[in-house]
Amino acid sequence: QKEVEQDPGPLSVPEGAIVSLNCTYSNSAFQYFMWYRQYSRKGPELLMYTYSSGNKEDGRFTAQVDKSSKYISLFIRDSQPSDSATYLCAMSNQGGKLIFGQGTELSVKP
Amino acid sequence: DSGVTQTPKHLITATGQRVTLRCSPRSGDLSVYWYQQSLDQGLQFLIQYYNGEERAKGNILERFSAQQFPDLHSELNLSSLELGDSALYFCASSVGARGSGNTIYFGEGSWLTVV
C-alpha cells in the first residue's frame, strides 16, 4: 500500500462547477500538507500549504486537512478552463522530503 | 517562473550511457532536492543536499549520484542507463534544510529519454 493514495481520474467538469480533489494517507507523522498544480510536462507549482489539521482558503481554492481521518481535500470553486491540469497532493513530516500522491488529472470544459 | 533553473530541458541517450543533469537553485536557497517523475511511479524523492552536504536520501538507485557544489548548484549523475530510467527529473530548492513544504520550489524539469 502506498503512503499517499490519490484517485488519478481523469476528472471532467463543466466550467463554473465546484471541484473536489482528495487524498488519503497512512503515515500519522505527516504534519505538512500541500497541493501542487502541474501543467503538462511543467514543474509542479505550489497552490496551497497547510500545517496540521484545519482549513485554509485562498481565492477560489480551499484546502482541508482531517488528521483524525488521514484525509485531505482541495476544493476549487467556480472552476475555469485554465484550471485544467494535474493536481498533486504532497505531505511531509518535519523534513523536506515530500511524499506525493499519483496526481488527479482535471479537465474543465467551457 | 520559480527561479529554479534546470538544464538540459530534453535529453535522448542510449542504454548504458551516462548523463549529467544540472540545477541552479533560487537565489538564497541552500537546499536542493532531486525528484523523478515517471508514469508508473509518479513523483518520487531521490535525494536532498543542504549547503553542500547530503541531507536526506530516498529511493535513489546506486547507479545515480548527486552532489552540490560550493556555488550551491547541483548535478545529478545517471550512469549505466536503462530504458526504465526514462522520466522527467525535477530539481527543487528551499531556503532551509527542512523545507516544510511551503518553501519548496520546483524547476521545469529535465526530460530524459533512454533508447
Side-chain angles (χ1 to χ4, degrees), chain B residues 39-93:
Chain B
L39 282 176
D40 55 344
Q41 294 293 323
L43 202 55
Q44 301 275 316
F45 170 76
L46 295 178
I47 198 163
Q48 176 196 0
Y49 278 81
Y50 174 75
N51 204 20
E53 299 291 326
E54 183 182 304
R55 179 78 179 188
K57 211 166 186 177
N59 297 325
I60 187 167
L61 299 172
E62 285 192 9
R63 299 184 286 109
F64 296 0
S65 65
Q67 55 184 327
Q68 186 179 28
F69 295 87
D71 67 352
L72 301 177
H73 90 271
S74 177
E75 292 181 355
L76 178 67
N77 301 296
L78 314 174
S79 62
S80 302
L81 285 167
E82 302 174 0
L83 295 178
D85 297 328
S86 296
L88 199 49
Y89 290 85
F90 287 107
C91 173
S93 72

Side-chain angles (χ1 to χ4, degrees), chain A:
Chain A
Q1 182 187 6
K2 293 183 178 181
E3 278 190 283
V4 179
E5 298 279 358
Q6 183 177 6
D7 186 342
L11 180 62
S12 183
V13 301
E15 183 176 354
I18 296 175
V19 176
S20 173
L21 305 167
N22 311 292
C23 288
T24 59
Y25 63 95
S26 56
N27 188 346
S28 58
F30 289 145
Q31 297 186 63
Y32 302 93
F33 304 90
M34 285 71 65
W35 285 95
Y36 282 83
R37 177 174 62 195
Q38 185 178 25
Y39 293 110
S40 180
R41 298 195 181 191
K42 296 291 188 183
E45 171 195 6
L46 181 65
L47 273 180
M48 300 289 285
Y49 160 81
T50 308
Y51 170 70
S52 193
S53 284
N55 295 356
K56 187 170 185 178
E57 188 174 322
D58 184 2
R60 297 184 294 111
F61 298 89
T62 299
Q64 292 184 349
V65 174
D66 182 350
K67 290 191 72 178
S68 62
S69 301
K70 297 191 179 68
Y71 186 89
I72 71 170
S73 300
L74 178 71
F75 297 95
I76 307 174
R77 291 183 298 280
D78 187 25
S79 57
Q80 302 295 310
S82 58
D83 294 329
S84 298
T86 296
Y87 289 80
L88 298 146
C89 63
M91 309 174 190
S92 74
N93 49 25
Q94 291 190 346
K97 172 184 174 182
L98 301 183
I99 307 298
F100 282 87
Q102 278 291 97
T104 299
E105 185 182 345
L106 171 67
S107 177
V108 181
K109 304 294 186 185

